[in-house]
Amino acid sequence: MAKRIYTIVGAVALMIMIYFIITPQTIASRPLVLIVTILYAIVIACIHGVLAHSLSVKQKGNLIFYPVFMGILFGIFSFIYIYVLLPLILPNFM
């Protein structure tokens, strides 16, 4: 049930974020950055929730791979945010 909730919330947040990125003239740039940042954080949290609830507690306790994988995943999402999303929102960012 939790995986389903995380999936639905993540999909809705992703759709709203894409709408704001496609039509940036609907809102000023400063609030746009804040809104997209919060929505992106929600999407990342939902991905983490889906991955965390797909493993049992025993599996997470025995795996060293899980925390390493989550760290790598968050690093990848950080680079996507910095090098893809921010230049789309703020044209003079880089």
Side-chain angles (χ1 to χ4, degrees):
M1 184 70 179
K3 285 174 38 174
R4 192 174 306 155
I5 292 171
Y6 281 124
T7 304
I8 292 168
V9 170
V12 169
L14 186 64
M15 287 187 290
I16 294 170
M17 185 176 63
I18 289 172
Y19 169 75
F20 280 125
I21 290 173
I22 291 174
T23 59
Q25 60 273 21
T26 59
I27 193 167
S29 67
R30 237 185 181 151
L32 180 65
V33 171
L34 181 64
I35 291 170
V36 170
T37 302
I38 291 171
L39 290 171
Y40 191 70
I42 291 171
V43 169
I44 290 174
C46 288
I47 291 172
H48 173 70
V50 168
L51 290 175
H53 286 289
S54 53
L55 296 175
S56 69
V57 176
K58 185 178 179 183
Q59 288 174 328
K60 282 190 269 189
N62 292 335
L63 293 175
I64 188 65
F65 178 72
Y66 177 73
V68 172
F69 175 70
M70 291 311 293
I72 291 170
L73 190 65
F74 286 135
I76 290 169
F77 282 130
S78 297
F79 282 114
I80 289 172
Y81 180 74
I82 292 170
Y83 292 113
V84 176
L85 284 180
L86 280 179
L88 283 174
I89 299 168
L90 302 170
N92 296 328
F93 178 70
M94 294 183 94

